[in-house]
Amino acid sequence: MAKRGGFPGGGMPGNMGQLMKQAQKMQRQMEEAQKELEEKEITKTSGGGAVSVTVTGKREIKEIKLDPEVVDPDDIEMLEDLIMAATNEALREVEEQSQAAMSKMTGGLGGLPF
């Protein structure tokens, strides 16, 4: 009785095997790019440099530096806004770099479903 489905010889046809190899290579490259990005640190400032926030590629805050002149007990709201602005800008930069790295690797894939 003949088998249905499957490929002669039990393997994948040449093009499919080549696609699988390319996909595996791309996956390794993407993992390497992700690791490289996670090791990066991005520092952004606000308030003319009065507040500085450093974020890692893992999207974790590593360091916050404040100029003593910006610490006004009567205006905590301004300090909070400056910290938030610098943090959000650093996180946006991490996201942009992440998207750029992935786009670089998947550039020619367009709308393929993988």
Side-chain angles (χ1 to χ4, degrees):
M1 186 171 227
K3 288 184 177 180
R4 293 183 180 225
F7 300 106
M12 288 187 226
N15 287 344
M16 183 62 95
Q18 186 64 27
L19 281 174
M20 291 297 291
K21 286 180 184 178
Q22 288 176 340
Q24 290 170 346
K25 180 181 176 183
M26 184 181 295
Q27 182 177 5
R28 282 191 304 275
Q29 289 173 332
M30 290 176 83
E31 288 170 356
E32 289 172 11
Q34 183 65 34
K35 183 179 178 190
E36 185 178 307
L37 181 65
E38 287 176 356
E39 293 173 355
K40 284 187 176 184
E41 293 181 4
I42 296 178
T43 301
K44 293 293 179 174
T45 63
S46 65
V51 173
S52 171
V53 176
T54 301
V55 175
T56 69
K58 292 181 181 182
R59 295 168 178 84
E60 296 173 346
I61 296 172
K62 180 174 181 181
E63 181 177 62
I64 296 175
K65 289 189 176 187
L66 307 173
D67 184 325
E69 293 178 18
V70 78
V71 182
D72 179 356
D74 295 327
D75 195 2
I76 296 297
E77 233 176 82
M78 181 193 65
L79 180 56
E80 292 169 342
D81 288 345
L82 291 172
I83 292 170
M84 186 171 49
T87 302
N88 285 334
E89 186 60 32
L91 290 171
R92 264 192 293 277
E93 178 74 20
V94 169
E95 185 61 28
E96 287 175 12
Q97 288 190 19
S98 177
Q99 286 180 1
M102 292 304 124
S103 177
K104 183 178 175 183
M105 278 193 244
T106 61
L109 294 179
L112 289 179
F114 62 165

